[in-house]
Amino acid sequence: MLNAAAQLLLKAGVGSVGVIALDFGSMFSAGSRLGVHPFILGGLTCYVVSVMVWILALSRVDVSVAYPMLSLGYIVNAFAASAIFSEQLTPTKLIGIGIICLGVFVLARN
């Protein structure tokens, strides 16, 4: 869930800058604004905490079980992005979410 929150915060933060051109001047300008943006800093903080939690999880669970559980973040992000950013949940995306849920369920039963 921390990774999902990080992605949503980063998306919200970069939304204040808009599309970033792939030239040094634009990237430097955008980077200097984003480097102090509260949502960007919050997203990066979520990633740091996520790594610490991940290390703790790996000390207790097989990576072959733990890693697929990260895909649950895709589901959370799809629905949250739809609610927060008005991103479309197309039938194809919903089918993909269903496949992810089925895969996680099968792995969790092992």
Side-chain angles (χ1 to χ4, degrees):
M1 295 306 109
L2 285 165
N3 281 333
Q7 288 296 319
L8 295 168
L9 286 166
L10 293 175
K11 173 67 174 173
V14 79
S16 68
V17 173
V19 177
I20 301 169
L22 294 178
D23 62 82
F24 181 76
S26 296
M27 290 183 356
F28 181 79
S29 173
S32 63
R33 286 184 283 159
L34 291 174
V36 295
H37 195 284
F39 287 153
I40 299 295
L41 295 174
L44 295 175
T45 300
C46 283
Y47 274 132
V48 169
V49 174
S50 173
V51 168
M52 291 187 285
V53 171
W54 182 245
I55 290 168
L56 290 172
L58 289 178
S59 74
R60 293 168 172 80
V61 180
D62 291 341
V63 71
S64 62
V65 174
Y67 193 70
M69 298 303 164
L70 290 178
S71 62
L72 295 175
Y74 296 124
I75 299 163
V76 171
N77 265 343
F79 287 102
S82 176
I84 297 168
F85 303 117
S86 300
E87 293 184 9
Q88 297 296 313
L89 274 177
T90 63
T92 305
K93 287 181 184 177
L94 292 172
I95 290 169
I97 288 169
I99 292 169
I100 290 170
C101 289
L102 179 62
V104 171
F105 174 75
V106 168
L107 286 169
R109 294 195 65 195
N110 184 359

